[in-house]
Amino acid sequence: MTTCRACRGPVTEFFDFGRQPLSDAFRRPQDTSEEFFYRLAVGVCEECTMVQLMEEVPRERMFREDYPYHSSMSSVMREHFTTTARRLMETECRGSDPFVVEIGCNDGVMLKTIAESGIRHLGVDPSRDVVELAAAKGVRVRFDFFQESTAAEIRATEGPADVIYAANTICHIPYVDSVFRGIDALLAPDGVFVFEDPYLGDIVERASFDQIYDEHFYLFSASSVRATARRFGFDLVDVQRLPVHGGEVRYTIARQGRREPSAAVAELIADEQQRQLTDTTILERFGMQVKRNCEDLTTLLHQLREAGHSVAAYGATAKSATVTNYCGIGPDLVPAIFDSTAAKQGRLSPGTHIPIRPLEEFSAPYPEYVLLFAWNHAEEIIAREKAFREQGGKWILYVPDVRAI
Ligand code: SAM
Ligand code: TMP
Ligand code: ZN
């Protein structure tokens, strides 16, 4: 029996994806070293309802010098984080010398706006290449993992933080107890800890099973986040649904008794209870839908190949590692993935070894069908690549179901 990383309660497994590679380990074609695999399975805690992976990948394997995810590559995400920074400054930075800390600042996409406003800030991120990109934008960064000891050191040298913010990072950190003790050490008495991550409610509703991979250790819900916050002397005081990355929730956490929880918290938790979101029956039903989606997708790809159509994919996302490896999609079905990230181009997709090619080659000539792995950026990508569809190309989507549009 696995014990919950958040509360030590018993965790019941509800879906097993089998052996999976690291989702962001894009291989050099000449690399002959053995690839790292682990068992990707997901379960739910019977005590605190936290949905989590059954097996943990050592953090240094995932977050390393050449971590290839660069937040600023999407214009929609750049705008999202500029708006977020402005909102945090307006609502939480009213004192004379506010201090903002970001956990997982990546290339500085959010803190850049805070830095430009002259507000005292610090980004904490363990992936060296992205930290250097942030520093080049004038962002102050600490090259490190956020955990209790890091937080205590920052508190000692810089004083308490008015805002601790994180996007798409807290769900990456299995040692959530150390994170919360760190928040306790660093946060000012009336400060807020604000974080946003893919929302379990959207993942289940849209069957977006590819949100499950090594880095996404937790799939949060308002119920599980509130239970965890309370264990460490905090409370969930606000929730906000966000449209980015296929549906996220932004959680606002404050020290217990410092802020009145908004009506939105009770509403979202009531909705989760009414949907029985964290009941094993619902989660097992989600698992059946995952199997069906994969079968539909591979059937379509086989049909296209047999009919002689050209197929490729768009967006070498971390998510796509789960799709290609679980569904068994290799270069025979999808010969190339086009991606704008220089650090991924010329490499092979983890596990399935599909070549990643630069976007500049996408139109030379266009494939007939393109599997959109970066479906969370669909609006932005489909609009920019409108010439592809105008000349007869079709996008293949696989969440919530498989279809060519
Ligand atoms: N915040 C950005 C965004 O939303 O686009 C980046 C998200 S990226 C998926 C996750 C980031 O978290 C990576 O840059 C990674 O290096 C960082 N990270 C992972 N574990 C961390 C930890 N313990 N403390 C701080 N950052 C961490
Ligand atoms: P994400 O789904 O984890 O945000 O990753 C998106 C991937 O898609 C990343 O490797 C960059 C790539 N991408 C493009 O190639 N073109 C685009 O326009 C966008 C938005 C992303
Ligand atoms: Zn638990």
Side-chain angles (χ1 to χ4, degrees):
M1 177 60 87
T2 302
T3 53
C4 173
R5 287 301 310 256
C7 82
R8 299 184 203 289
V11 177
T12 306
E13 183 173 319
F14 62 85
F15 198 78
D16 183 1
F17 289 92
R19 266 166 49 86
Q20 292 282 332
L22 300 176
S23 60
D24 265 318
F26 293 89
R27 271 166 90 78
R28 291 192 170 81
Q30 65 275 21
D31 190 350
T32 52
S33 67
E34 205 183 318
E35 219 166 344
F36 176 84
F37 283 87
Y38 69 103
R39 186 175 84 94
L40 177 65
V42 61
V44 58
C45 173
E46 289 170 25
E47 297 283 334
C48 75
T49 76
M50 185 69 86
V51 173
Q52 58 201 278
L53 300 192
M54 304 302 288
E55 211 174 279
E56 181 181 333
V57 170
R59 62 186 189 177
E60 288 78 9
R61 282 193 181 271
M62 297 186 282
F63 309 113
R64 31 166 227 272
E65 200 165 275
D66 62 344
Y67 182 67
Y69 185 77
H70 297 180
S71 306
S72 297
M73 92 257 144
S74 151
S75 61
V76 170
M77 292 314 296
R78 284 198 302 274
E79 205 178 304
H80 170 76
F81 287 119
T82 305
T83 310
T84 302
R86 291 203 184 115
R87 180 146 326 150
L88 288 176
M89 289 191 289
E90 271 164 35
T91 58
E92 304 296 339
C93 296
R94 296 214 192 90
S96 59
D97 177 27
F99 179 38
V100 177
V101 172
E102 185 179 7
I103 307 172
C105 64
N106 199 271
D107 61 7
V109 67
M110 195 290 288
L111 279 182
K112 176 176 172 285
T113 305
I114 305 268
E116 284 165 0
S117 305
I119 288 185
R120 208 152 58 81
H121 65 276
L122 184 68
V124 183
D125 199 298
S127 301
R128 188 183 293 276
D129 290 359
V130 297
V131 160
E132 281 170 9
L133 293 171
K137 292 178 181 139
V139 170
R140 268 188 79 221
V141 269
R142 178 178 169 131
F143 167 55
D144 212 343
F145 286 97
F146 185 90
Q147 56 192 8
E148 189 180 5
S149 56
T150 317
E153 281 174 35
I154 298 171
R155 172 69 179 82
T157 52
E158 318 243 353
D162 300 282
V163 180
I164 304 177
Y165 174 77
N168 307 298
T169 299
I170 300 305
C171 76
H172 292 51
I173 312 181
Y175 38 102
V176 67
D177 48 345
S178 179
V179 168
F180 268 94
R181 286 197 300 270
I183 300 294
D184 194 20
L186 180 58
L187 196 67
D190 283 315
V192 281
F193 172 34
V194 180
F195 65 96
E196 58 201 61
D197 281 296
Y199 177 48
L200 178 69
D202 289 312
I203 294 171
V204 169
E205 189 180 317
R206 299 174 191 194
S208 41
F209 65 93
D210 54 351
Q211 290 284 15
I212 304 172
Y213 54 91
D214 53 351
E215 295 173 23
H216 286 180
F217 188 83
Y218 292 112
L219 306 182
F220 293 133
S221 61
S223 312
S224 65
V225 167
R226 185 171 72 175
T228 305
R230 285 181 171 173
R231 278 179 62 78
F232 295 94
F234 294 90
D235 206 358
L236 176 61
V237 296
D238 198 23
V239 286
Q240 187 189 350
R241 307 235 0 209
L242 303 172
V244 295
H245 289 311
E248 301 208 325
V249 169
R250 177 177 291 162
Y251 305 93
T252 303
I253 309 277
R255 292 185 189 276
Q256 251 161 28
R258 292 293 184 156
R259 292 197 191 196
E260 191 62 31
S262 70
V265 175
E267 278 163 24
L268 192 56
I269 289 180
D271 180 60
E272 291 174 358
Q273 284 166 350
Q274 196 258 329
R275 289 173 64 182
Q276 299 178 310
L277 180 62
T278 53
D279 281 20
T280 36
T281 347
I282 297 293
L283 295 170
E284 280 165 4
R285 196 179 301 160
F286 161 77
M288 289 189 291
Q289 206 177 339
V290 173
K291 283 188 181 151
R292 210 162 37 236
N293 273 18
C294 273
E295 278 164 22
D296 290 352
L297 181 59
T298 46
T299 304
L300 174 63
L301 293 174
H302 278 103
Q303 281 168 352
L304 292 174
R305 187 180 60 183
E306 265 132 53
H309 291 297
S310 58
V311 178
Y314 201 109
T317 57
K319 293 185 287 297
S320 67
T322 299
V323 183
T324 57
N325 287 279
Y326 177 67
C327 306
I329 299 169
D332 54 327
L333 290 175
V334 175
I337 307 175
F338 294 96
D339 195 287
S340 60
T341 317
K344 295 181 184 179
Q345 294 163 0
R347 306 251 185 150
L348 303 175
S349 68
T352 44
H353 301 179
I354 303 172
I356 318 298
R357 291 171 49 193
L359 272 193
E360 293 70 38
E361 295 174 14
F362 179 51
S363 57
Y366 281 124
E368 291 172 273
Y369 288 85
V370 176
L371 182 52
L372 186 54
F373 284 140
W375 55 264
N376 47 317
H377 303 290
E379 222 173 288
E380 176 177 351
I381 292 173
I382 292 175
R384 203 188 37 247
E385 301 290 358
K386 72 178 193 309
F388 164 64
R389 249 162 133 199
E390 279 167 4
Q391 53 80 58
K394 281 198 172 3
W395 295 102
I396 301 173
L397 294 164
Y398 52 92
V399 294
D401 45 29
V402 176
R403 61 206 189 281
I405 59 166

